[in-house]
Each structure stands twice: as C-alpha cells, then as structure tokens.
C-alpha cells in the first residue's frame, strides 16, 4: 500500500528530480511534487498544509540550501527540510543541520532517503497533532468562559460566531431559523469588518433557498454535519443565482468549509458554518470533532439565552397586566368604599346595629381589596425602578399603635391577642404610608400563621436605628426558607393551605431598603417566627430642626 507524499523540490536539474522521485516511489510513496529554482518561486509555493517535506539541492545558480531554509523559517511553517545534493560534504551537512535542516544525503546514497523522509514526516505529523490538541483544549476551555458571560440572546450569538476566529477558522457564520424552515445569518465573524459587512449584505440580497441540497439548508434539514475540504469554483458557479451573486461568493475566498447543525434540547435551532481561506490549511476530518463540540456548547448556551429571553418577556407581560389590572380595579374599589362608608354612617344614624356590623365587614373587605390593588401597583413600580418616598417627621410608636388598632377586630377573629410594647419618643424622617405598609404586612403575616397564639409587637431603639419586632408562636419558618419568603411571590408554605399573593414580605423588604433600612426573619425559640424592621434614626436631628 502506497503512502501519499507531497514534495516541494528545490532543484534546478529535471533529471535529478526524476531520480529523487523514483527512489521515493521505490520506498512506498505515491509522490506529488513541484520543482522550484529560486527564492521567489519557493516563497510563492509555500502554503499552509500544501507540503509534507521540502527536499533541496545544496547549491543552485544564484541560490542555495541555507537560503532556502531561511525562507522556510520565515514562513513559520513546520515542514521537514532535507538536503539532497551531489556536492554536499560533511562540513556543509553539519552546518545546514545546525541551521534547522532535518537531514542531508549525497545523491549517491539515495537509498536511505525514503526511510528518512518517512521518519521526518511522521515526526512532523505528531508535532502537528500535539499542537492541534493543545489548541483545541485551549479553545474549548475559553469557550466555557466566553459563553457563560451573557444571557442576552443576540450577544450570545455574536460570541458563538467569534469563538473559532481566528484560532480555528477565518470565517464563522451562525445561521438561525425563526420559523423552523428559513435560515438567516444572525451573527458573522471575520478579522476584517468590511468582509463582515459584505457577508451580511450578501445574505440580505441572496437569501438561502430552504430546499437547497447543499450547504446550510441541507444540514439544517438532515441534522448531519458537512465537511468540504475544498471549495472549487465550479461548485460556487452551480450555486450562484446571478453573476453578482457569484462575484460575491468568490470574494469570500473560501478554501474549505464545515457546516454543523446547531442542535438544542427542543430540536435544531440553526447551522454554524466555519470557513478557511488561502491563508491557512484546509479543513480535514480531524477538525470536525472540535467544531462539533464547540457548536454543541454554543447551542446549549443559546437555548438558555432564548429561554431567559422568553421568561423575561413573560415577566414583562405579567407586570404589564398587573399594572393595568390594578389601575382598572382602583377606581371602582374607591367608589365602592366611599359608598359603603356612607351607608355605614346612615345605618348608625338609624340605629341599625345589625346593618352597621354587616356593612363594616363589607367595608373591611373592600379595604383589603384596595390594599391588594396597591400591592400590585407597587410591584409594577418596582419592575421599572425604586419605590417613591414622601418623607415626613413622624413618631414610629404612634404609627405602630394605630396599625394595631386597625387589626384589633381581625386579631380577635383569628384568636391571636395583640401585645404592644413601645419605647417613647422615636421620631424619624420616614414615609408614613410605606412604614405603615411594612408594619401592616408583618402583622398580617403573624396573624395568618399565628395558630391562635398571642402576637407580640415591640418598638425599640439603640440610638442609631429604630426597630419594630413582631413575634408569633405559630408554625414557624424552616431555616432554608428564611430568605426565600422575601422574594417576589415567595412562599414557605403551600398557597392552598394559606392564601395571599406572596407579595407582602417582598414589598416590606423593598420599602425598608428604600429608607436605607432592612427587614429580616428568624426562628423564635420555643416555636414561631420573629420579624424585625430596622429603620435608620440618623434623620431625627434633621426632623427636629425642620419642625423648630
């Protein structure tokens, strides 16, 4: 079985060329060669991946082996260089070996040449494979870091396109399908920005035929990768729809391509195309596995980005619905509350105790609905910014006492006695409505889960911060849920057992943070839970000065 061998011969004698080739064929090689005789011809012939070995005569007219070896080193190509000459002696041979040649042979000893060529070609192949393996490992390691850096869908597309350029390819195009049939260039990478602009323009002017039997459309339909080690002009001519289309495709200067399907968990999302130009070796089957792994990682990241985009859109629509619904409910609830308040006053004038009680219960439910509507409005405000504050000087103890008075009837109905302990003179500059909202939320939560046990409320201060502590002896909160309950719609128990929207504690924390304070929960010794609201008191002096 013969072994293909691509030989670049630096030789001025055609007969010696035939002599060398004949000896290589005897050694089991299928020889493909090109002969050059000058530095200019050698530079023109040196292309990445074009040659397995360079065999050079030592002395040519106006040219010699050391000069040829210097040109090879300047090119940066790792091609074995062997001197084969009738005039080379031991001194010249040693010198050229010191300069980087792999071996040297007098033309009288050519029988040794095939074995030396085989040895050097194998060693060059091993060096190339080690370098490629190192490149692939580094590229895959970098891919994890780069792809994990964003959940924005378009930015992730751009990152996928730029990953293999220029380490692995000169071109990378990410074709994406929005409708499951047609492909469009969603991201494009090349070292030259002008080429990128022309690539997008070509895709716009000449979109891909979804029924094409070659290229990205076929790979998208079949899910099978496609490797083209060479892209001949005839192939481009067959694909071109017009002379202008052909001109644009030729301007890409593609030498070889790899097309790999972009497959996510739910199916094929698109196709990734990698292309080389004349400046680098063409793709081979050994390049396909690393490209497939890169694309696989890119597909997973893209799908995560798409799911994130869809979830963000769903959240936006939900928040928009909540805002609209809350605004629409606000007006009729306000009107209903006013009307029921008027009826309560009339029933009292008419001394109808039963009617007053019924109307009072109805009015409390209307107010409860109004509170829920305001919570929904606050959620929509927080989705676009911070909670607005209207600061005023106020006594925190008095505010807490007023809140407890409003909850008196509810606490009696739930069998939870309210106990209050207040330190006097805790005046600060706060938003009355927001602080009242926080205290009401903590108190409502304590009554809901209080298990018909007393609820204690303490208002204290250490001179720098004021605290409102609400303790219940109810079912308590698991350790792992102490933070989760402050998330939007967060719960520590099933909504089927306990009602509510799961927004009260979320809004309480955000309102406290808007003041520069905080709210937290902890387990209470002996059972139950303890919630603490902490507000800064540094504004007290300012409040006093303003009131003076």
């Amino acid at each position: 079985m013969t072994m293909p061998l691509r030989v670049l011969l630096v030789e001025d004698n055609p007969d010696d060329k035939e002599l060398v080739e004949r000896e290589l064929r005897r050694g089991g090689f299928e020889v493909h060669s090109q002969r050059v005789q000058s530095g200019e011809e050698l530079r023109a012939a040196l292309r990445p991946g074009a040659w397995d070995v360079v065999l050079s005569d030592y002395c040519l007219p106006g040219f010699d082996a050391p000069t040829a070896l210097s040109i090879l080193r300047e090119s940066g190509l790792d091609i074995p260089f062997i001197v084969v000459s009738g005039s080379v002696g031991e001194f010249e041979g040693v010198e050229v070996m010191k300069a980087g040649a792999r071996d040297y042979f007098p033309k009288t000893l050519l029988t040794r040449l095939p074995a030396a060529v085989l040895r050097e070609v194998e060693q060059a192949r091993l060096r190339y494979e080690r370098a490629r393996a190192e490149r692939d490992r580094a590229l895959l390691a970098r891919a994890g870091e780069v792809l994990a850096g964003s959940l924005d869908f378009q930015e992730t597309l751009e990152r996928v396109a730029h990953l293999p350029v220029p380490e692995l390819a000169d071109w990378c195009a990410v074709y994406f399908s929005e409708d499951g049939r047609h492909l469009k260039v969603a991201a494009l990478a090349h070292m030259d920005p002008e080429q990128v602009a022309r690539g997008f323009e070509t895709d716009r002017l000449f979109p891909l035929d979804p029924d094409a039997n070659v290229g990205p459309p076929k790979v998208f339909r079949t899910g099978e990768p496609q490797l083209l080690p060479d892209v001949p002009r005839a192939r481009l001519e067959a694909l071109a729809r017009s002379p202008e289309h052909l001109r644009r495709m030729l301007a890409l200067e593609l030498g070889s391509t790899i097309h790999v399907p972009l497959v996510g968990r739910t199916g094929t999302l698109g196709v990734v195309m990698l292309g080389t130009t004349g400046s680098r070796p063409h793709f081979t089957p050994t390049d396909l596995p690393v490209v497939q792994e890169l694309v696989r990682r890119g597909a997973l990241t893209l799908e995560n980005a798409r799911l994130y985009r869809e979830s963000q859109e769903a959240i936006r629509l939900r928040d928009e619905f909540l805002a609209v619904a809350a605004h629409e409910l606000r007006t009729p609830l306000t009107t209903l509350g006013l009307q029921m308040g008027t009826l309560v006053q009339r029933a009292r004038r008419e001394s109808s105790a039963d009617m007053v009680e019924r109307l009072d219960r109805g009015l409390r439910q209307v107010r409860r609905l109004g509170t829920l509507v305001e919570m929904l409005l606050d959620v929509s405000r927080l989705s676009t910014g911070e909670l607005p504050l209207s600061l005023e000087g106020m006594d925190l103890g008095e505010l807490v006492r007023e809140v407890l008075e409003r909850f008196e009837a509810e606490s009696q109905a739930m069998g939870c006695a309210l106990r209050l302990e207040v330190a006097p003179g805790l005046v600060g500059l706060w938003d009355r409505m927001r602080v009242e909202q926080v205290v009401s939320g903590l108190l409502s939560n304590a009554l809901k889960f209080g298990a018909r046990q007393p609820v204690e409320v303490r208002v204290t201060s250490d001179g720098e911060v004021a605290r409102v502590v609400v303790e219940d002896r109810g079912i308590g909160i698991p350790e792992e849920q102490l933070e989760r309950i402050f998330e939007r719609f967060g719960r520590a128990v099933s909504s089927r057992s306990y009602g509510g929207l799961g927004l009260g504690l979320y809004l309480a924390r955000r309102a406290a943070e808007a003041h520069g304070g905080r709210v937290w929960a902890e387990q209470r010794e002996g059972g139950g839970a303890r919630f603490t609201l902490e507000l800064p008191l540094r504004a007290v002096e300012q409040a006093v000065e303003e009131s003076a």
Side-chain angles (χ1 to χ4, degrees), residues 44 65 73 163 262 274 295 303 321 329 392 396 401 471 519:
R73 288 201 306 267
L163 261 177
L262 195 62
L274 272 67
V295 173
E303 191 156 61
F321 168 77
L329 289 170
E392 60 178 292
L396 184 60
R401 187 174 284 107
E471 287 188 1
V519 172

Side-chain angles (χ1 to χ4, degrees), residues 262-415:
L262 195 62
V263 182
R265 300 181 187 89
T266 57
T268 304
L269 308 175
V271 175
V272 175
M273 185 280 288
L274 272 67
T276 66
T277 67
S279 63
R280 73 169 68 231
H282 289 194
F283 288 127
T284 67
T286 56
D287 293 305
L288 191 55
V290 68
V291 175
Q292 288 179 298
E293 178 60 19
L294 273 178
V295 173
R296 184 190 71 82
R297 298 185 183 193
L300 292 176
T301 308
L302 276 172
E303 191 156 61
N304 288 340
R306 186 178 67 171
L307 291 173
Y308 178 76
R309 182 181 66 177
E310 291 174 354
S311 68
Q312 291 299 105
E313 177 63 14
I315 290 172
R316 186 191 66 79
L317 292 174
R318 184 193 65 188
D319 288 344
E320 185 176 294
F321 168 77
L322 290 177
V324 172
H327 278 290
E328 291 298 319
L329 289 170
R330 199 182 210 180
T331 300
L333 279 175
T334 300
T335 303
L336 181 59
L338 292 173
Q339 293 296 328
M340 292 193 71
T342 301
L343 291 175
V344 169
Q345 294 175 2
R346 180 175 176 181
R348 284 174 177 163
R349 287 196 301 269
E350 296 176 356
S351 300
S352 177
D354 181 64
M355 184 64 68
V356 168
E357 181 181 354
R358 291 174 180 271
L359 289 173
D360 268 337
R361 284 201 297 267
L363 186 57
R364 284 197 297 271
Q365 295 303 315
V366 170
R367 288 171 179 164
R368 182 181 177 189
L369 284 173
T371 300
L372 293 176
V373 168
E374 291 302 321
M375 290 172 63
L376 293 178
L377 283 172
D378 284 341
V379 169
S380 66
R381 292 187 188 106
L382 284 170
S383 66
T384 58
E386 296 297 323
L387 284 175
L389 297 180
S390 179
L391 302 179
E392 60 178 292
M394 52 175 281
D395 187 304
L396 184 60
E398 291 182 3
L399 181 143
V400 172
R401 187 174 284 107
E402 291 175 6
V403 172
L404 262 65
E405 289 176 357
R406 290 203 300 271
F407 275 86
E408 186 64 37
E410 184 176 342
S411 67
Q412 291 178 3
M414 303 187 75

Side-chain angles (χ1 to χ4, degrees), residues 71 147 383 429 537:
I71 292 173
L147 293 175
S383 66
L429 197 64
L537 272 171

Side-chain angles (χ1 to χ4, degrees), residues 10-13 35-41 57-65 67 87:
V10 183
E11 177 62 66
D12 62 327
N13 189 334
R35 184 169 66 95
V36 296
Q37 305 179 67
S38 67
E40 291 75 14
E41 291 181 353
D57 196 354
Y58 189 83
C59 187
L60 294 79
F63 195 44
D64 59 17
T67 305
S87 60

Side-chain angles (χ1 to χ4, degrees), residues 82-84 88-90 93-94 96-97 102-106 112:
I82 298 176
V83 176
V84 181
V88 64
E90 185 174 350
V94 170
V96 80
M97 290 279 287
R102 296 292 179 180
D103 212 336
Y104 70 95
F105 295 94
R112 293 172 44 209

